[in-house]
């Protein structure tokens, strides 16, 4: 059997009428398709998708960092069976102008809710709902972040940095980590957990096989408190509505609360030593409370505590995965 590998993307734009997907049509075919094509030798899937989009639509795009989804199917060409794998990404464009290639006879910006019947291909129909959900989450999170970033403008006695540090990670993950607030490195790079605490957390995540690429990570307060001080009660109260909205957007199965500020703000738990090492359940979400990595840096002998709590999460995730396999079978 011959194997083929392709890459493409769901390209969408947002207008006053809602969210629309770009669909392409080839001569002799009733169904529409997405921009996609073969991955050439030496190319990554991302590079192939960007190239194919440019060749087929004239659009220069950036792909979402944390999303990809694959389809697999077998078809017959002549007398030969071919197993094809296609990796799809998502990209947003503000342009409605498309310059299609010669292999296509037309295109359409289709409302995302009506795109399914136009695509018809079973492999695309299966993943379209997940793509639609991810796009919806992305737009909601972007709107929230834009609003959150403007918070200093309406505060006369603002003592935090004015650099907003957004959360980071896949929006379709089932696992969310919440810390206290950005540090100096995070304030500089505008990314969460990139300093010494982040490096420690990344190492322990790798050791417990949870992996940072699979989690969404953020903080209760997403502005740096000068001199790495703890955020004040008033600052936490200003930021709390935003972290609660992030949870509603992500709808995670698990939330790991790193440190006392996160535990107190989200669950009202004031003692890490009494709360850690077990699962809390609230509103359909499972919570794990543990030490903040910065506390471990101050007292390295407590590293095993944080690692054990991350191992607890890893065990729970494994149980869930096994349950899904049993259910699917």
């Amino acid at each position: 059997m011959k194997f083929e590998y392709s890459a493409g993307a769901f390209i969408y734009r947002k207008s006053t009428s809602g969210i629309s997907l770009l669909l392409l049509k080839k001569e002799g075919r009733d169904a529409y398709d997405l921009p996609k094509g073969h991955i050439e030798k030496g190319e990554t899937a991302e590079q192939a998708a960007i190239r194919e989009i440019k060749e087929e639509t004239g659009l220069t795009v950036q792909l979402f960092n944390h999303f990809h989804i694959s389809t697999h199917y077998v078809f017959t060409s002549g007398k030969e069976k071919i197993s094809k794998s296609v990796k799809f990404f998502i990209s947003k464009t503000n342009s409605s102008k498309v310059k299609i290639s010669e292999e296509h006879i037309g295109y359409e910006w289709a409302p995302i809710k009506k795109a399914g019947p136009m695509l018809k291909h079973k492999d695309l129909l299966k993943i379209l709902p997940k793509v639609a959900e991810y796009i919806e989450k992305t737009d909601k999170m972007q709107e929230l972040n834009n609003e959150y970033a403007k918070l200093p403008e309406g505060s006369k006695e603002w003592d935090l940095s004015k650099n907003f540090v957004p959360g980071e990670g896949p929006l379709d993950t089932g696992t969310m980590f919440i810390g206290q607030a950005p540090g100096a490195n995070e304030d500089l790079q505008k990314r969460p957990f990139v300093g010494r605490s982040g490096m420690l957390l990344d190492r322990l995540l790798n050791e417990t096989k949870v992996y940072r690429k699979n989690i969404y990570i953020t903080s209760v307060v997403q502005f740096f408190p000068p001199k790495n001080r703890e955020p004040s009660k008033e600052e936490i109260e200003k930021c709390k509505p935003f972290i609660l909205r992030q949870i509603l957007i992500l709808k995670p199965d698990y939330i790991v609360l790193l440190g006392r500020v996160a535990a107190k703000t989200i669950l009202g738990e004031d003692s890490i030593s009494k709360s850690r090492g077990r699962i809390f359940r609230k509103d359909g979400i499972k919570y794990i409370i543990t030490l903040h990595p910065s506390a471990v840096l101050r007292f390295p002998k407590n590293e095993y505590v944080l690692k054990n709590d991350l191992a607890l999460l890893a065990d729970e995730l494994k149980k869930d995965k096994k349950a899904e396999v049993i259910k699917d079978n």
Side-chain angles (χ1 to χ4, degrees):
M1 184 181 293
K2 182 179 179 181
F3 294 89
E4 291 184 353
Y5 301 93
S6 295
F10 290 81
I11 301 174
Y12 78 98
R13 68 184 181 94
K14 192 175 182 182
S15 64
T16 54
S17 59
I19 294 172
S20 299
L21 285 180
L22 176 59
L23 306 181
L24 305 179
K25 192 170 186 179
K26 288 186 177 181
E27 189 172 3
R29 296 185 182 180
D30 294 331
Y32 284 79
D33 204 349
L34 301 173
K36 71 176 191 296
H38 294 298
I39 301 174
E40 304 293 346
K41 187 176 180 179
E43 280 187 324
T44 64
E46 291 87 346
Q47 291 169 337
I50 292 171
R51 175 182 53 76
E52 287 290 341
I53 291 167
K54 182 68 175 178
E55 291 175 0
E56 295 187 354
T57 70
L59 296 173
T60 300
V61 300
Q62 286 187 326
L63 306 177
F64 284 12
N65 289 330
H66 301 287
F67 180 91
H68 64 80
I69 191 168
S70 297
T71 64
H72 308 273
Y73 56 95
V74 177
F75 67 98
T76 302
S77 178
K79 295 182 178 180
E80 187 175 31
K81 279 191 175 183
I82 299 174
S83 175
K84 191 175 187 71
S85 295
V86 187
K87 180 177 281 190
F88 286 102
F89 300 90
I90 297 177
S91 180
K92 183 179 181 180
T93 180
N94 294 321
S95 175
S96 61
K97 297 180 180 179
V98 177
K99 185 179 180 181
I100 57 173
S101 63
E102 293 181 355
E103 64 179 300
H104 295 97
I105 60 172
Y107 71 92
E108 186 166 340
W109 287 102
I112 195 164
K113 293 182 179 179
K114 297 181 180 179
M118 298 176 68
L119 287 168
K120 292 184 181 178
H121 299 297
K122 292 181 180 179
D123 58 311
L124 295 178
L125 291 176
K126 288 180 181 178
I127 64 176
L128 183 58
K130 293 181 180 180
V131 172
E133 182 181 15
Y134 200 93
I135 290 174
E136 182 181 7
K137 285 184 175 183
T138 299
D139 279 7
K140 285 183 178 180
M141 191 66 77
Q142 187 60 59
E143 289 175 5
L144 184 151
N145 285 341
N146 290 342
E147 182 182 345
Y148 199 173
K150 294 178 182 178
L151 197 59
E153 298 175 10
S155 302
K156 294 180 180 179
E157 299 179 357
W158 187 263
D159 190 42
L160 300 171
S161 168
K162 293 185 179 181
N163 291 330
F164 175 61
V165 181
E168 183 176 279
L171 301 183
D172 56 350
T173 179
T175 309
M176 183 180 189
F177 277 52
I178 302 175
Q180 174 177 295
N185 286 294
E186 288 77 13
D187 182 58
L188 184 64
Q189 298 185 43
K190 297 183 181 179
R191 292 184 58 209
F193 286 88
V194 292
R196 290 178 63 217
S197 292
M199 293 172 64
L200 171 61
L201 182 61
D202 286 353
R203 175 169 64 80
L204 295 180
L205 286 170
N206 290 338
E207 289 177 8
T208 53
K209 294 182 170 54
V210 174
Y211 304 116
R212 174 148 176 178
K213 68 178 182 179
N214 296 325
I215 67 173
Y216 187 88
I217 190 164
T218 186
S219 300
V220 170
V221 173
Q222 291 178 229
F223 297 90
F224 170 53
K227 299 181 181 179
N228 273 331
R229 65 169 173 78
E230 186 174 296
S232 69
K233 182 179 179 181
E234 292 72 24
E235 289 165 344
I236 291 171
E237 286 303 310
K238 284 182 180 179
C239 296
K240 184 176 178 179
F242 293 96
I243 190 63
L244 294 180
R245 284 169 58 189
Q246 288 174 56
I247 293 172
L248 289 175
I249 291 171
L250 290 174
K251 299 175 183 176
D253 300 312
Y254 292 89
I255 295 181
V256 177
L257 301 173
L258 300 167
R260 187 187 61 80
V261 169
K264 178 72 172 176
T265 303
I266 305 301
L267 290 182
E269 294 289 331
D270 208 16
S271 173
I272 300 299
S273 60
K274 294 180 180 179
S275 304
R276 60 153 300 273
R278 58 195 179 100
I279 304 291
F280 290 80
R281 289 174 172 81
K282 181 182 178 182
D283 300 329
I285 299 174
K286 297 177 183 178
Y287 291 86
I288 294 175
I289 295 173
T290 189
L291 298 174
H292 194 284
S294 62
V296 175
L297 289 175
R298 291 194 296 272
F299 302 98
K301 67 179 182 179
N302 288 332
E303 181 178 311
Y304 80 95
V305 175
L306 177 54
K307 186 172 181 178
N308 284 349
D309 291 337
L310 295 179
L312 172 61
L313 171 65
D315 288 341
E316 290 294 315
L317 292 173
K318 287 177 185 176
K319 290 177 186 176
D320 288 350
K321 189 171 184 179
K322 288 180 180 178
E324 288 179 8
V325 171
I326 294 171
K327 184 178 179 181
D328 290 342
N329 289 341

